[in-house]
Amino acid sequence: MQILGARFDELKKELQTLQAADGPAVWQGLILGLSARGLSADSRMLRDTVAAVLNDGQPLPGALIAIITELAIDAQDGFNKDNLPLMLPKSGQQARLQALADLCYGLTLGLAYDPKAAAQQVAQKVSSPQRLEFLRTLQQLQQVDPDSSLEEEDFKAVLDFIESELLREHNRSVKAHA
């Protein structure tokens, strides 16, 4: 797993300039979840789903499409290398815990997506027991109190868990589509 702190800060500024309501961790989480479910970086369905979920179904401006494509390419590369890049703030425990909660929220949105469903039905009933358990854990992590204290070892263990579960989900998805 790679922690991309500088990229988090850059993307945060880009999203603020574009007046996006959600921060970088939500965007990355959604795209990682969708990529784990089998949507590729060059998939129009990936861009359409992100627009449906994070932009109220409205068309995305070119700058946001570029960000989505970049994040999807990074995700795809990370899945291919079994080493996912995660964008989180470099420092500040409160900011890092909030970004973790946001990442988990985005992942929940992406992992609940069913690529076989109609475009109007983004989230579907989850049939995989492994994914359902992972989603439950992600929902619990969304409730993390940013003001609480968390040892660096524990923070890293949570990120390692998220990465390993995403890699498993991606591998199950690849096998299902083979």
Side-chain angles (χ1 to χ4, degrees):
M1 166 187 35
Q2 309 167 50
I3 303 294
L4 306 176
R7 182 62 185 128
F8 178 89
D9 296 336
E10 292 168 12
L11 185 56
K12 183 176 180 179
K13 288 177 187 173
E14 290 176 48
L15 291 170
Q16 286 172 340
T17 299
L18 294 167
Q19 299 179 337
D22 295 295
V26 173
W27 284 81
Q28 185 188 35
L30 174 62
I31 292 166
L32 280 170
L34 293 171
S35 297
R37 297 285 295 131
L39 294 182
S40 67
D42 59 355
S43 168
R44 180 175 177 86
M45 189 181 295
L46 184 134
R47 290 186 302 275
D48 290 347
T49 302
V50 172
V53 174
L54 294 182
N55 204 39
D56 295 327
Q58 299 301 310
L60 295 167
L64 277 177
I65 291 172
I67 289 170
I68 292 165
T69 302
E70 178 187 341
L71 291 173
I73 289 170
D74 289 347
Q76 193 170 325
D77 187 48
F79 282 118
N80 290 338
K81 294 178 180 176
D82 289 339
N83 186 14
L84 297 177
L86 296 178
M87 290 188 296
L88 297 166
K90 289 181 195 176
S91 60
Q93 186 160 336
Q94 186 176 20
R96 293 180 79 197
L97 287 174
Q98 184 59 56
L100 174 64
D102 291 347
L103 176 70
C104 292
Y105 171 68
L107 286 168
T108 302
L109 295 172
L111 290 168
Y113 171 76
D114 183 355
K116 297 175 188 161
Q120 298 85 358
Q121 299 173 320
V122 176
Q124 296 291 311
K125 183 175 180 180
V126 176
S127 58
S128 164
Q130 298 93 348
R131 188 171 350 118
L132 185 59
E133 186 61 33
F134 184 37
L135 286 167
R136 286 182 179 139
T137 302
L138 290 172
Q139 288 175 329
Q140 290 174 344
L141 288 169
Q142 289 173 48
Q143 305 305 316
V144 68
D145 179 4
D147 293 324
S148 64
S149 64
L150 184 65
E151 296 295 323
E152 188 61 30
E153 289 177 17
D154 295 334
F155 188 74
K156 184 172 176 355
V158 168
L159 295 178
D160 287 341
F161 168 77
I162 289 171
E163 179 184 46
S164 68
E165 289 300 311
L166 282 172
L167 291 170
R168 278 192 200 107
E169 182 63 38
H170 181 260
N171 290 336
R172 284 190 293 267
S173 179
V174 168
K175 287 179 185 175
H177 292 104

